[in-house]
Amino acid sequence: MKVIAVEEHLSTEAFLRTAHALDVIAGDEAEMALMRTVEESPVLRARLVDVDARLREMDAAGQDMAVLSLNPPGVQPYPATDAVPLARAFNDELAAIVRRYPGRFGGLGTAAPQDPAAAAAEIERVMGPLGLNGIMINSHTGGRYLDEPEFAPLLAAAEASRAPIYLHPRMLAAYRDYGMSGAVWGYQAEAGLHAMRLILSGTLDRYPGLTFVLGHLGEGIPYWLRRIDNRHAFAARTAGAATSMPRLSLTPSEYFRRNFVLTTSGMDDPDVLGLAVGAVGEDNVMFAIDFPYEDPAAAVAFLRNAPLTEDQRTALGHRTAERVFRLT
């Protein structure tokens, strides 16, 4: 079975040298202190930057291809004047890696939402001259989310360029205590918040052709879909039952099934996988490892042994990724 993994982070020495010398925007200091500690760890840094070692690990695990993306939170914690050229330089490096290893890597470019017009131009360059397969947005930018009006140029460019947007979680202040800031809890809660803002704001009525990718089997949303629809309908027909909310053309779950694709990254749980496939369909779930933070061999073994039909396994293993990211 062909295996494509689609949330596979990397960095380059040039990016890390430049980024680690920059000041970060107010409010992002704690997150960047943690991420810089991770990126300066010799073991993790080597796994992020050593492409040839990664290929050997992929071969050992039985993984055919990886869709690469910049280690989070990318360029979003930096002032726009620094972030815009940093994104361009990284995307050039990423495109060169993809060209150097045909058939082994795809790539999700990065952009700087701090400057929405520049981000829109970079999305067009990523999907055009650079020939990459989508973009990764590391959720909020300075506490702002993509449903907010200033990001309209970015969303319009993504829709026009047919660029899937992988929404990767970031930290929020509310989750800083007790180790909740990252993958223990805060990541899924923060990215799930972003997805629900996009759905409930009417953003997906304005940009119906957008495709968003959510890791970790949907950041908890599949578990809540029935209640979300039920309570949204109640609030829509009951005056005073909720804060102000726009009128939507579809139910929340219909947007979720139409505009979102899920990945398995870090969620090697057969029960949760079954729930996600049941919620959105086998053609809207893709395999991912979350390299270098999860074990590739264990993730591939989970894909091969999960209680799926062979058609479902094929869809998760490569067919959906090939469609969503237009991989050849």
Side-chain angles (χ1 to χ4, degrees), residues 2-39:
K2 186 176 182 181
V3 176
I4 300 174
V6 300
E7 187 188 321
E8 316 310 311
H9 304 301
L10 90 160
S11 194
T12 67
E13 288 292 351
F15 178 88
L16 293 174
R17 282 194 303 270
T18 302
H20 285 202
L22 297 174
D23 292 330
V24 302
I25 61 177
D28 287 347
E29 298 91 345
E31 179 178 17
M32 289 311 299
L34 288 171
M35 290 311 299
R36 286 176 175 177
T37 299
V38 167
E39 290 171 340

PDB file of all heavy atoms in Angstrom, residues 2-39:
ATOM      1  N   LYS A   2       0.538   2.185  -0.872  1.00  0.00           N
ATOM      2  CA  LYS A   2       1.248   3.457  -0.909  1.00  0.00           C
ATOM      3  C   LYS A   2       0.887   4.282   0.324  1.00  0.00           C
ATOM      4  O   LYS A   2      -0.287   4.345   0.716  1.00  0.00           O
ATOM      5  CB  LYS A   2       0.879   4.217  -2.176  1.00  0.00           C
ATOM      6  CG  LYS A   2       1.651   5.487  -2.405  1.00  0.00           C
ATOM      7  CD  LYS A   2       1.252   6.106  -3.750  1.00  0.00           C
ATOM      8  CE  LYS A   2       2.045   7.366  -4.043  1.00  0.00           C
ATOM      9  NZ  LYS A   2       1.632   7.954  -5.344  1.00  0.00           N
ATOM     10  N   VAL A   3       1.880   4.916   0.933  1.00  0.00           N
ATOM     11  CA  VAL A   3       1.674   5.678   2.167  1.00  0.00           C
ATOM     12  C   VAL A   3       2.212   7.097   1.984  1.00  0.00           C
ATOM     13  O   VAL A   3       3.403   7.298   1.746  1.00  0.00           O
ATOM     14  CB  VAL A   3       2.373   5.000   3.367  1.00  0.00           C
ATOM     15  CG1 VAL A   3       2.239   5.864   4.617  1.00  0.00           C
ATOM     16  CG2 VAL A   3       1.790   3.612   3.608  1.00  0.00           C
ATOM     17  N   ILE A   4       1.312   8.066   2.102  1.00  0.00           N
ATOM     18  CA  ILE A   4       1.675   9.485   2.063  1.00  0.00           C
ATOM     19  C   ILE A   4       1.292  10.098   3.405  1.00  0.00           C
ATOM     20  O   ILE A   4       0.138   9.991   3.835  1.00  0.00           O
ATOM     21  CB  ILE A   4       0.947  10.232   0.927  1.00  0.00           C
ATOM     22  CG1 ILE A   4       1.292   9.626  -0.427  1.00  0.00           C
ATOM     23  CG2 ILE A   4       1.301  11.719   0.951  1.00  0.00           C
ATOM     24  CD1 ILE A   4       0.510  10.222  -1.593  1.00  0.00           C
ATOM     25  N   ALA A   5       2.232  10.755   4.051  1.00  0.00           N
ATOM     26  CA  ALA A   5       1.978  11.440   5.325  1.00  0.00           C
ATOM     27  C   ALA A   5       1.985  12.940   5.082  1.00  0.00           C
ATOM     28  O   ALA A   5       2.852  13.458   4.366  1.00  0.00           O
ATOM     29  CB  ALA A   5       3.026  11.061   6.354  1.00  0.00           C
ATOM     30  N   VAL A   6       1.038  13.668   5.692  1.00  0.00           N
ATOM     31  CA  VAL A   6       0.794  15.041   5.241  1.00  0.00           C
ATOM     32  C   VAL A   6       0.981  16.131   6.311  1.00  0.00           C
ATOM     33  O   VAL A   6       0.735  17.301   6.015  1.00  0.00           O
ATOM     34  CB  VAL A   6      -0.617  15.163   4.627  1.00  0.00           C
ATOM     35  CG1 VAL A   6      -0.776  14.227   3.440  1.00  0.00           C
ATOM     36  CG2 VAL A   6      -1.714  14.925   5.655  1.00  0.00           C
ATOM     37  N   GLU A   7       1.397  15.789   7.523  1.00  0.00           N
ATOM     38  CA  GLU A   7       1.756  16.846   8.494  1.00  0.00           C
ATOM     39  C   GLU A   7       3.155  16.548   9.001  1.00  0.00           C
ATOM     40  O   GLU A   7       3.350  16.059  10.109  1.00  0.00           O
ATOM     41  CB  GLU A   7       0.772  16.921   9.667  1.00  0.00           C
ATOM     42  CG  GLU A   7       1.057  18.133  10.556  1.00  0.00           C
ATOM     43  CD  GLU A   7       0.253  18.178  11.849  1.00  0.00           C
ATOM     44  OE1 GLU A   7      -0.943  17.815  11.833  1.00  0.00           O
ATOM     45  OE2 GLU A   7       0.839  18.561  12.879  1.00  0.00           O
ATOM     46  N   GLU A   8       4.124  16.881   8.175  1.00  0.00           N
ATOM     47  CA  GLU A   8       5.492  16.449   8.406  1.00  0.00           C
ATOM     48  C   GLU A   8       6.384  17.690   8.411  1.00  0.00           C
ATOM     49  O   GLU A   8       6.676  18.267   7.365  1.00  0.00           O
ATOM     50  CB  GLU A   8       5.909  15.450   7.327  1.00  0.00           C
ATOM     51  CG  GLU A   8       4.847  14.395   7.025  1.00  0.00           C
ATOM     52  CD  GLU A   8       4.291  13.697   8.269  1.00  0.00           C
ATOM     53  OE1 GLU A   8       5.092  13.246   9.113  1.00  0.00           O
ATOM     54  OE2 GLU A   8       3.041  13.607   8.396  1.00  0.00           O
ATOM     55  N   HIS A   9       6.771  18.110   9.599  1.00  0.00           N
ATOM     56  CA  HIS A   9       7.433  19.396   9.764  1.00  0.00           C
ATOM     57  C   HIS A   9       8.921  19.307   9.463  1.00  0.00           C
ATOM     58  O   HIS A   9       9.559  18.271   9.678  1.00  0.00           O
ATOM     59  CB  HIS A   9       7.228  19.908  11.189  1.00  0.00           C
ATOM     60  CG  HIS A   9       5.779  20.000  11.569  1.00  0.00           C
ATOM     61  ND1 HIS A   9       4.881  20.772  10.882  1.00  0.00           N
ATOM     62  CD2 HIS A   9       5.076  19.397  12.563  1.00  0.00           C
ATOM     63  CE1 HIS A   9       3.688  20.661  11.440  1.00  0.00           C
ATOM     64  NE2 HIS A   9       3.779  19.822  12.457  1.00  0.00           N
ATOM     65  N   LEU A  10       9.459  20.384   8.977  1.00  0.00           N
ATOM     66  CA  LEU A  10      10.902  20.504   8.807  1.00  0.00           C
ATOM     67  C   LEU A  10      11.293  21.953   9.002  1.00  0.00           C
ATOM     68  O   LEU A  10      10.445  22.847   9.096  1.00  0.00           O
ATOM     69  CB  LEU A  10      11.362  20.011   7.432  1.00  0.00           C
ATOM     70  CG  LEU A  10      11.421  21.021   6.264  1.00  0.00           C
ATOM     71  CD1 LEU A  10      12.327  20.515   5.177  1.00  0.00           C
ATOM     72  CD2 LEU A  10      10.033  21.307   5.721  1.00  0.00           C
ATOM     73  N   SER A  11      12.595  22.175   9.046  1.00  0.00           N
ATOM     74  CA  SER A  11      13.136  23.520   9.011  1.00  0.00           C
ATOM     75  C   SER A  11      14.457  23.439   8.260  1.00  0.00           C
ATOM     76  O   SER A  11      14.842  22.375   7.765  1.00  0.00           O
ATOM     77  CB  SER A  11      13.332  24.086  10.421  1.00  0.00           C
ATOM     78  OG  SER A  11      13.546  25.482  10.345  1.00  0.00           O
ATOM     79  N   THR A  12      15.126  24.558   8.149  1.00  0.00           N
ATOM     80  CA  THR A  12      16.455  24.595   7.541  1.00  0.00           C
ATOM     81  C   THR A  12      17.370  25.380   8.459  1.00  0.00           C
ATOM     82  O   THR A  12      16.912  26.204   9.265  1.00  0.00           O
ATOM     83  CB  THR A  12      16.420  25.275   6.158  1.00  0.00           C
ATOM     84  OG1 THR A  12      16.104  26.667   6.321  1.00  0.00           O
ATOM     85  CG2 THR A  12      15.393  24.609   5.243  1.00  0.00           C
ATOM     86  N   GLU A  13      18.659  25.144   8.335  1.00  0.00           N
ATOM     87  CA  GLU A  13      19.599  25.880   9.169  1.00  0.00           C
ATOM     88  C   GLU A  13      19.517  27.378   8.879  1.00  0.00           C
ATOM     89  O   GLU A  13      19.603  28.203   9.792  1.00  0.00           O
ATOM     90  CB  GLU A  13      21.025  25.363   8.942  1.00  0.00           C
ATOM     91  CG  GLU A  13      21.287  23.983   9.529  1.00  0.00           C
ATOM     92  CD  GLU A  13      21.263  23.956  11.057  1.00  0.00           C
ATOM     93  OE1 GLU A  13      21.220  25.039  11.678  1.00  0.00           O
ATOM     94  OE2 GLU A  13      21.292  22.855  11.624  1.00  0.00           O
ATOM     95  N   ALA A  14      19.328  27.741   7.616  1.00  0.00           N
ATOM     96  CA  ALA A  14      19.236  29.159   7.273  1.00  0.00           C
ATOM     97  C   ALA A  14      18.026  29.796   7.947  1.00  0.00           C
ATOM     98  O   ALA A  14      18.115  30.904   8.497  1.00  0.00           O
ATOM     99  CB  ALA A  14      19.153  29.328   5.756  1.00  0.00           C
ATOM    100  N   PHE A  15      16.877  29.104   7.919  1.00  0.00           N
ATOM    101  CA  PHE A  15      15.688  29.654   8.564  1.00  0.00           C
ATOM    102  C   PHE A  15      15.897  29.796  10.063  1.00  0.00           C
ATOM    103  O   PHE A  15      15.576  30.845  10.650  1.00  0.00           O
ATOM    104  CB  PHE A  15      14.476  28.759   8.297  1.00  0.00           C
ATOM    105  CG  PHE A  15      13.227  29.271   8.981  1.00  0.00           C
ATOM    106  CD1 PHE A  15      12.412  30.187   8.349  1.00  0.00           C
ATOM    107  CD2 PHE A  15      12.902  28.865  10.271  1.00  0.00           C
ATOM    108  CE1 PHE A  15      11.271  30.682   8.983  1.00  0.00           C
ATOM    109  CE2 PHE A  15      11.773  29.353  10.918  1.00  0.00           C
ATOM    110  CZ  PHE A  15      10.961  30.268  10.270  1.00  0.00           C
ATOM    111  N   LEU A  16      16.425  28.763  10.709  1.00  0.00           N
ATOM    112  CA  LEU A  16      16.572  28.804  12.154  1.00  0.00           C
ATOM    113  C   LEU A  16      17.557  29.887  12.588  1.00  0.00           C
ATOM    114  O   LEU A  16      17.317  30.590  13.584  1.00  0.00           O
ATOM    115  CB  LEU A  16      17.017  27.438  12.676  1.00  0.00           C
ATOM    116  CG  LEU A  16      15.980  26.313  12.526  1.00  0.00           C
ATOM    117  CD1 LEU A  16      16.588  24.985  12.933  1.00  0.00           C
ATOM    118  CD2 LEU A  16      14.721  26.607  13.339  1.00  0.00           C
ATOM    119  N   ARG A  17      18.657  30.032  11.869  1.00  0.00           N
ATOM    120  CA  ARG A  17      19.624  31.091  12.222  1.00  0.00           C
ATOM    121  C   ARG A  17      18.973  32.465  12.144  1.00  0.00           C
ATOM    122  O   ARG A  17      19.152  33.311  13.035  1.00  0.00           O
ATOM    123  CB  ARG A  17      20.834  31.039  11.286  1.00  0.00           C
ATOM    124  CG  ARG A  17      21.845  29.960  11.604  1.00  0.00           C
ATOM    125  CD  ARG A  17      23.156  30.199  10.863  1.00  0.00           C
ATOM    126  NE  ARG A  17      22.962  30.272   9.416  1.00  0.00           N
ATOM    127  CZ  ARG A  17      23.015  29.214   8.610  1.00  0.00           C
ATOM    128  NH1 ARG A  17      23.236  28.007   9.105  1.00  0.00           N
ATOM    129  NH2 ARG A  17      22.849  29.355   7.301  1.00  0.00           N
ATOM    130  N   THR A  18      18.224  32.699  11.095  1.00  0.00           N
ATOM    131  CA  THR A  18      17.591  34.011  10.919  1.00  0.00           C
ATOM    132  C   THR A  18      16.474  34.216  11.931  1.00  0.00           C
ATOM    133  O   THR A  18      16.412  35.251  12.609  1.00  0.00           O
ATOM    134  CB  THR A  18      17.038  34.145   9.495  1.00  0.00           C
ATOM    135  OG1 THR A  18      18.089  33.967   8.558  1.00  0.00           O
ATOM    136  CG2 THR A  18      16.400  35.509   9.284  1.00  0.00           C
ATOM    137  N   ALA A  19      15.586  33.243  12.061  1.00  0.00           N
ATOM    138  CA  ALA A  19      14.406  33.407  12.906  1.00  0.00           C
ATOM    139  C   ALA A  19      14.763  33.544  14.380  1.00  0.00           C
ATOM    140  O   ALA A  19      14.171  34.351  15.102  1.00  0.00           O
ATOM    141  CB  ALA A  19      13.461  32.226  12.698  1.00  0.00           C
ATOM    142  N   HIS A  20      15.751  32.777  14.837  1.00  0.00           N
ATOM    143  CA  HIS A  20      16.094  32.813  16.253  1.00  0.00           C
ATOM    144  C   HIS A  20      16.774  34.117  16.655  1.00  0.00           C
ATOM    145  O   HIS A  20      16.890  34.408  17.849  1.00  0.00           O
ATOM    146  CB  HIS A  20      16.970  31.622  16.621  1.00  0.00           C
ATOM    147  CG  HIS A  20      16.206  30.333  16.697  1.00  0.00           C
ATOM    148  ND1 HIS A  20      16.650  29.246  17.421  1.00  0.00           N
ATOM    149  CD2 HIS A  20      15.030  29.949  16.148  1.00  0.00           C
ATOM    150  CE1 HIS A  20      15.773  28.255  17.307  1.00  0.00           C
ATOM    151  NE2 HIS A  20      14.791  28.663  16.535  1.00  0.00           N
ATOM    152  N   ALA A  21      17.195  34.911  15.687  1.00  0.00           N
ATOM    153  CA  ALA A  21      17.804  36.203  15.988  1.00  0.00           C
ATOM    154  C   ALA A  21      16.781  37.338  16.006  1.00  0.00           C
ATOM    155  O   ALA A  21      17.136  38.478  16.329  1.00  0.00           O
ATOM    156  CB  ALA A  21      18.893  36.517  14.958  1.00  0.00           C
ATOM    157  N   LEU A  22      15.507  37.040  15.683  1.00  0.00           N
ATOM    158  CA  LEU A  22      14.490  38.077  15.572  1.00  0.00           C
ATOM    159  C   LEU A  22      13.742  38.278  16.890  1.00  0.00           C
ATOM    160  O   LEU A  22      13.571  37.346  17.677  1.00  0.00           O
ATOM    161  CB  LEU A  22      13.479  37.702  14.485  1.00  0.00           C
ATOM    162  CG  LEU A  22      14.007  37.591  13.055  1.00  0.00           C
ATOM    163  CD1 LEU A  22      12.897  37.066  12.139  1.00  0.00           C
ATOM    164  CD2 LEU A  22      14.531  38.944  12.563  1.00  0.00           C
ATOM    165  N   ASP A  23      13.258  39.492  17.086  1.00  0.00           N
ATOM    166  CA  ASP A  23      12.312  39.757  18.163  1.00  0.00           C
ATOM    167  C   ASP A  23      10.947  39.202  17.765  1.00  0.00           C
ATOM    168  O   ASP A  23      10.608  39.115  16.574  1.00  0.00           O
ATOM    169  CB  ASP A  23      12.196  41.261  18.413  1.00  0.00           C
ATOM    170  CG  ASP A  23      13.478  41.850  18.983  1.00  0.00           C
ATOM    171  OD1 ASP A  23      14.200  41.122  19.688  1.00  0.00           O
ATOM    172  OD2 ASP A  23      13.752  43.031  18.700  1.00  0.00           O
ATOM    173  N   VAL A  24      10.142  38.831  18.759  1.00  0.00           N
ATOM    174  CA  VAL A  24       8.798  38.327  18.483  1.00  0.00           C
ATOM    175  C   VAL A  24       7.777  39.376  18.904  1.00  0.00           C
ATOM    176  O   VAL A  24       8.061  40.275  19.709  1.00  0.00           O
ATOM    177  CB  VAL A  24       8.532  36.994  19.209  1.00  0.00           C
ATOM    178  CG1 VAL A  24       9.556  35.952  18.791  1.00  0.00           C
ATOM    179  CG2 VAL A  24       8.542  37.162  20.714  1.00  0.00           C
ATOM    180  N   ILE A  25       6.570  39.260  18.357  1.00  0.00           N
ATOM    181  CA  ILE A  25       5.539  40.237  18.672  1.00  0.00           C
ATOM    182  C   ILE A  25       5.037  40.015  20.099  1.00  0.00           C
ATOM    183  O   ILE A  25       5.127  38.914  20.650  1.00  0.00           O
ATOM    184  CB  ILE A  25       4.386  40.188  17.666  1.00  0.00           C
ATOM    185  CG1 ILE A  25       3.700  38.818  17.667  1.00  0.00           C
ATOM    186  CG2 ILE A  25       4.875  40.526  16.261  1.00  0.00           C
ATOM    187  CD1 ILE A  25       2.494  38.739  16.740  1.00  0.00           C
ATOM    188  N   ALA A  26       4.515  41.074  20.690  1.00  0.00           N
ATOM    189  CA  ALA A  26       4.047  41.008  22.074  1.00  0.00           C
ATOM    190  C   ALA A  26       2.974  39.945  22.229  1.00  0.00           C
ATOM    191  O   ALA A  26       2.047  39.839  21.413  1.00  0.00           O
ATOM    192  CB  ALA A  26       3.497  42.373  22.486  1.00  0.00           C
ATOM    193  N   GLY A  27       3.099  39.150  23.270  1.00  0.00           N
ATOM    194  CA  GLY A  27       2.155  38.086  23.556  1.00  0.00           C
ATOM    195  C   GLY A  27       2.614  36.718  23.116  1.00  0.00           C
ATOM    196  O   GLY A  27       2.060  35.705  23.557  1.00  0.00           O
ATOM    197  N   ASP A  28       3.617  36.662  22.220  1.00  0.00           N
ATOM    198  CA  ASP A  28       4.088  35.373  21.711  1.00  0.00           C
ATOM    199  C   ASP A  28       5.402  34.924  22.352  1.00  0.00           C
ATOM    200  O   ASP A  28       5.972  33.899  21.950  1.00  0.00           O
ATOM    201  CB  ASP A  28       4.275  35.437  20.188  1.00  0.00           C
ATOM    202  CG  ASP A  28       2.951  35.467  19.437  1.00  0.00           C
ATOM    203  OD1 ASP A  28       1.907  35.202  20.068  1.00  0.00           O
ATOM    204  OD2 ASP A  28       2.953  35.758  18.222  1.00  0.00           O
ATOM    205  N   GLU A  29       5.875  35.659  23.350  1.00  0.00           N
ATOM    206  CA  GLU A  29       7.191  35.366  23.910  1.00  0.00           C
ATOM    207  C   GLU A  29       7.264  33.977  24.546  1.00  0.00           C
ATOM    208  O   GLU A  29       8.245  33.248  24.360  1.00  0.00           O
ATOM    209  CB  GLU A  29       7.576  36.425  24.951  1.00  0.00           C
ATOM    210  CG  GLU A  29       7.697  37.833  24.400  1.00  0.00           C
ATOM    211  CD  GLU A  29       6.391  38.625  24.465  1.00  0.00           C
ATOM    212  OE1 GLU A  29       5.307  38.003  24.678  1.00  0.00           O
ATOM    213  OE2 GLU A  29       6.442  39.854  24.314  1.00  0.00           O
ATOM    214  N   ALA A  30       6.230  33.594  25.309  1.00  0.00           N
ATOM    215  CA  ALA A  30       6.275  32.297  26.002  1.00  0.00           C
ATOM    216  C   ALA A  30       6.280  31.145  25.002  1.00  0.00           C
ATOM    217  O   ALA A  30       7.041  30.174  25.151  1.00  0.00           O
ATOM    218  CB  ALA A  30       5.092  32.176  26.958  1.00  0.00           C
ATOM    219  N   GLU A  31       5.436  31.241  23.991  1.00  0.00           N
ATOM    220  CA  GLU A  31       5.395  30.184  22.981  1.00  0.00           C
ATOM    221  C   GLU A  31       6.733  30.053  22.265  1.00  0.00           C
ATOM    222  O   GLU A  31       7.240  28.941  22.054  1.00  0.00           O
ATOM    223  CB  GLU A  31       4.293  30.475  21.959  1.00  0.00           C
ATOM    224  CG  GLU A  31       4.201  29.434  20.855  1.00  0.00           C
ATOM    225  CD  GLU A  31       3.072  29.709  19.882  1.00  0.00           C
ATOM    226  OE1 GLU A  31       2.563  30.854  19.852  1.00  0.00           O
ATOM    227  OE2 GLU A  31       2.703  28.785  19.139  1.00  0.00           O
ATOM    228  N   MET A  32       7.329  31.180  21.895  1.00  0.00           N
ATOM    229  CA  MET A  32       8.577  31.124  21.149  1.00  0.00           C
ATOM    230  C   MET A  32       9.738  30.667  22.017  1.00  0.00           C
ATOM    231  O   MET A  32      10.671  30.024  21.519  1.00  0.00           O
ATOM    232  CB  MET A  32       8.872  32.479  20.504  1.00  0.00           C
ATOM    233  CG  MET A  32       7.931  32.779  19.345  1.00  0.00           C
ATOM    234  SD  MET A  32       7.797  31.397  18.173  1.00  0.00           S
ATOM    235  CE  MET A  32       9.485  31.255  17.623  1.00  0.00           C
ATOM    236  N   ALA A  33       9.700  30.970  23.298  1.00  0.00           N
ATOM    237  CA  ALA A  33      10.746  30.455  24.180  1.00  0.00           C
ATOM    238  C   ALA A  33      10.711  28.928  24.203  1.00  0.00           C
ATOM    239  O   ALA A  33      11.758  28.263  24.138  1.00  0.00           O
ATOM    240  CB  ALA A  33      10.569  31.006  25.593  1.00  0.00           C
ATOM    241  N   LEU A  34       9.505  28.349  24.255  1.00  0.00           N
ATOM    242  CA  LEU A  34       9.379  26.903  24.238  1.00  0.00           C
ATOM    243  C   LEU A  34       9.807  26.317  22.893  1.00  0.00           C
ATOM    244  O   LEU A  34      10.547  25.329  22.831  1.00  0.00           O
ATOM    245  CB  LEU A  34       7.936  26.507  24.534  1.00  0.00           C
ATOM    246  CG  LEU A  34       7.466  26.695  25.980  1.00  0.00           C
ATOM    247  CD1 LEU A  34       5.969  26.468  26.072  1.00  0.00           C
ATOM    248  CD2 LEU A  34       8.196  25.740  26.917  1.00  0.00           C
ATOM    249  N   MET A  35       9.359  26.926  21.802  1.00  0.00           N
ATOM    250  CA  MET A  35       9.662  26.368  20.483  1.00  0.00           C
ATOM    251  C   MET A  35      11.144  26.512  20.156  1.00  0.00           C
ATOM    252  O   MET A  35      11.736  25.622  19.528  1.00  0.00           O
ATOM    253  CB  MET A  35       8.809  27.035  19.413  1.00  0.00           C
ATOM    254  CG  MET A  35       7.337  26.671  19.492  1.00  0.00           C
ATOM    255  SD  MET A  35       7.003  24.884  19.627  1.00  0.00           S
ATOM    256  CE  MET A  35       7.705  24.276  18.098  1.00  0.00           C
ATOM    257  N   ARG A  36      11.765  27.594  20.572  1.00  0.00           N
ATOM    258  CA  ARG A  36      13.193  27.731  20.317  1.00  0.00           C
ATOM    259  C   ARG A  36      13.996  26.715  21.127  1.00  0.00           C
ATOM    260  O   ARG A  36      15.024  26.215  20.660  1.00  0.00           O
ATOM    261  CB  ARG A  36      13.637  29.166  20.609  1.00  0.00           C
ATOM    262  CG  ARG A  36      13.181  30.139  19.518  1.00  0.00           C
ATOM    263  CD  ARG A  36      13.513  31.575  19.834  1.00  0.00           C
ATOM    264  NE  ARG A  36      13.159  32.445  18.710  1.00  0.00           N
ATOM    265  CZ  ARG A  36      13.277  33.772  18.722  1.00  0.00           C
ATOM    266  NH1 ARG A  36      13.743  34.395  19.810  1.00  0.00           N
ATOM    267  NH2 ARG A  36      12.942  34.480  17.656  1.00  0.00           N
ATOM    268  N   THR A  37      13.507  26.393  22.317  1.00  0.00           N
ATOM    269  CA  THR A  37      14.161  25.337  23.097  1.00  0.00           C
ATOM    270  C   THR A  37      14.087  24.015  22.353  1.00  0.00           C
ATOM    271  O   THR A  37      15.073  23.264  22.282  1.00  0.00           O
ATOM    272  CB  THR A  37      13.503  25.220  24.483  1.00  0.00           C
ATOM    273  OG1 THR A  37      13.658  26.454  25.191  1.00  0.00           O
ATOM    274  CG2 THR A  37      14.129  24.095  25.287  1.00  0.00           C
ATOM    275  N   VAL A  38      12.922  23.717  21.785  1.00  0.00           N
ATOM    276  CA  VAL A  38      12.762  22.482  20.997  1.00  0.00           C
ATOM    277  C   VAL A  38      13.698  22.492  19.806  1.00  0.00           C
ATOM    278  O   VAL A  38      14.406  21.507  19.525  1.00  0.00           O
ATOM    279  CB  VAL A  38      11.294  22.348  20.550  1.00  0.00           C
ATOM    280  CG1 VAL A  38      11.152  21.261  19.482  1.00  0.00           C
ATOM    281  CG2 VAL A  38      10.392  22.049  21.732  1.00  0.00           C
ATOM    282  N   GLU A  39      13.730  23.602  19.081  1.00  0.00           N
ATOM    283  CA  GLU A  39      14.513  23.674  17.845  1.00  0.00           C
ATOM    284  C   GLU A  39      16.017  23.701  18.100  1.00  0.00           C
ATOM    285  O   GLU A  39      16.799  23.418  17.191  1.00  0.00           O
ATOM    286  CB  GLU A  39      14.089  24.896  17.038  1.00  0.00           C
ATOM    287  CG  GLU A  39      12.686  24.750  16.451  1.00  0.00           C
ATOM    288  CD  GLU A  39      12.149  26.018  15.826  1.00  0.00           C
ATOM    289  OE1 GLU A  39      12.662  27.115  16.150  1.00  0.00           O
ATOM    290  OE2 GLU A  39      11.201  25.934  15.025  1.00  0.00           O
TER     291      GLU A  39
END
